[in-house]
Amino acid sequence: MNKLLITGATTMITLTSAAHAQSSVTLYGLIDAGLTYTSNERTAPGSGHSSWQMTSGAVQDSRWGLRGAEDLGAGMKAVFALESGFDVNNGQYTSGNRIFNRQAWVGVSSREYGALTLGRQTDLMVDFVAPLSLTGTEFGGTHFAHPFDIDNLNDSFQINNAVKYMSPAFYGFRLGALYGFSNQAGGFTNNRAYSFGLSYVSGAWNFAVGYLQLNSSARTPAQLNANGAVTDTTAASLQSALTTSAVPIGVLADKQRTLGAGVNYTFGPAVAGFVYSQSKITRFFQTNLSVNFQNFEGNFRYAFTPAVEFSGAYTYSRAGGNGGGGIPHWNQVSAMADYRLSRRTDVYVQGAWQRVSPSGTSPLGVAWINGVSNPSSTTTQVQASAGLRHRF
């Protein structure tokens, strides 16, 4: 009888272990905190002051999340992700009152056919092109972004109501597609989004191309479809230079079309890369104003040892169109040194210098390093940060 009880208990433990092995939930996160110096922050028209601030996410946004998977058999899995960004200085959400402001999706994946997911997700510029740019990686991040993060390579906003497909790797190729619904009766195109991406990896070479389009009806902020594809307050830099709106400027225009491409080449402990992006925005606020942004980024990183790494980038940007005042030009140089204390914890110092050459009276012609609280009161701005980053 005792033997039978022991055998039964052992069987139950084995079955329970097997069930647990077929499904899993992982808690993960990243905390990035440090001190940042910024020069020439505008405090009033025509005046400015330098600032010292404790900052959260100088390189990567602090976040925590849950990932899960359940084995459905035949190489299929049910998968989900819930991810929330927060400010480590005060513990608040970084995007309105959303609990899971960075990601919230569920779907199915297959080793053979890829993954289909539904919910709040990143676009394909973020998934394919951003990893080849220092702003989209742990080697540069927030302050390395192109002016106003107009191409969203720093993942300043995500897409709501999105259906997304990501293929498996096939002879080095991988592709993806996304569609974000407006969710508005009688307004199918009012605040919708769609995106495509393609990558190819061959030996030391990594190539990628991405496309993102935001559609609206050139609405004013009061008329915006607040339940549509893009409703974040985190990508407010560009529109703050033009307006007091709190949503990406492309949603307040007839159309924003962003195309990007990049390449990385790895040789020994070094990686060199180049990224190009172009964003065309048409008809601000039901007017005929339009603008065309172009960004050219060259980047490089080198691992001196497994614990010590240096990275740097130079970005040239320009904006033209009929938005008034001609064509501003931006030059930005960024650099970062990182030391790993362990596999999960590192310390870093990094900085960026930006200079704008404004043309005429264009409101776009301001020096404003991404992630800094205020634009510069002059044509230049300098930012420097030292911080600690921990992953769990």
Side-chain angles (χ1 to χ4, degrees), residues 121-124 159 162-165 176-180 193-196:
Q121 305 178 71
T122 54
D123 65 77
L124 280 305
I159 310 298
V163 178
K164 183 177 182 179
Y165 170 75
L178 172 145
Y179 187 89
Y194 53 90
S195 184
F196 307 97

Side-chain angles (χ1 to χ4, degrees), residues 52-333:
W52 287 92
Q53 298 177 356
M54 183 174 176
T55 52
S56 175
V59 178
Q60 292 177 277
D61 291 338
S62 299
R63 81 288 298 263
W64 71 276
L66 298 168
R67 293 192 198 97
E70 180 190 14
D71 191 349
L72 303 177
M76 297 284 291
K77 289 183 179 181
V79 292
F80 77 88
L82 302 170
E83 186 172 292
S84 176
F86 62 90
D87 188 324
V88 71
N89 294 336
N90 54 32
Q92 294 180 348
Y93 298 130
T94 54
S95 179
N97 295 317
R98 291 189 181 94
I99 297 176
F100 300 109
N101 47 43
R102 290 180 57 85
Q103 295 187 72
W105 53 262
V106 65
V108 291
S109 71
S110 162
R111 291 192 302 267
E112 191 173 353
Y113 300 109
L116 181 68
T117 51
L118 300 91
R120 178 173 169 83
Q121 305 178 71
T122 54
D123 65 77
L124 280 305
M125 285 289 292
V126 173
D127 293 334
F128 285 87
V129 182
L132 307 183
S133 166
L134 289 190
T135 184
T137 70
E138 63 182 295
F139 309 105
T142 304
H143 297 302
F144 284 40
H146 305 153
F148 314 113
D149 194 28
I150 188 66
D151 49 20
N152 200 37
L153 293 187
N154 195 51
D155 195 17
S156 291
F157 62 87
Q158 293 78 38
I159 310 298
N160 300 326
N161 317 322
V163 178
K164 183 177 182 179
Y165 170 75
M166 295 287 282
S167 78
F170 183 74
Y171 291 105
F173 287 95
R174 195 179 187 207
L175 59 87
L178 172 145
Y179 187 89
F181 288 85
S182 70
N183 276 14
Q184 185 179 61
F188 186 76
T189 64
N190 183 21
N191 195 0
R192 69 170 177 176
Y194 53 90
S195 184
F196 307 97
L198 174 70
S199 66
Y200 175 68
V201 178
S202 177
W205 293 95
N206 188 348
F207 302 89
V209 62
Y211 178 79
L212 169 66
Q213 181 161 323
L214 308 179
N215 281 83
S216 188
S217 301
R219 303 293 179 122
T220 65
Q223 297 171 315
L224 175 69
N225 171 19
N227 297 315
V230 182
T231 54
D232 286 85
T233 60
T234 54
S237 295
L238 174 57
Q239 66 272 12
S240 293
L242 299 166
T243 176
T244 58
S245 163
V247 293
I249 196 67
V251 180
L252 300 177
D254 181 64
K255 192 177 295 181
Q256 176 174 332
R257 293 168 292 178
T258 297
L259 174 68
V263 58
N264 274 183
Y265 178 71
T266 302
F267 49 104
V271 179
F274 176 79
V275 170
Y276 169 80
S277 70
Q278 176 176 275
S279 297
K280 293 184 177 181
I281 306 171
T282 57
R283 298 190 65 237
F284 294 135
F285 309 114
Q286 297 173 318
T287 71
N288 290 322
L289 298 180
S290 62
V291 65
N292 181 33
F293 278 86
Q294 289 181 298
N295 300 290
F296 305 82
E297 176 192 331
N299 58 66
F300 180 80
R301 66 179 194 263
Y302 186 86
F304 293 96
T305 71
V308 179
E309 188 152 15
F310 171 83
S311 56
Y314 167 72
T315 300
Y316 171 75
S317 306
R318 62 186 181 187
N322 64 353
I327 303 176
H329 299 256
W330 293 264
N331 288 275
Q332 179 166 316
V333 178

Side-chain angles (χ1 to χ4, degrees), residues 338-373:
D338 185 80
Y339 179 72
R340 293 186 178 274
L341 301 172
S342 69
R343 185 172 62 88
R344 295 183 176 182
T345 305
D346 61 318
V347 291
Y348 62 82
V349 292
Q350 58 110 278
W353 171 88
Q354 184 183 105
R355 180 178 177 82
V356 64
S357 300
S359 178
T361 59
S362 172
L364 298 174
V366 295
W368 196 349
I369 295 171
N370 191 64
V372 171
S373 300

Side-chain angles (χ1 to χ4, degrees), residues 1-18:
M1 183 67 179
N2 288 339
K3 282 187 177 181
L4 181 61
L5 288 174
I6 292 171
T7 302
T10 303
T11 303
M12 290 297 294
I13 292 171
T14 302
L15 291 174
T16 302
S17 299

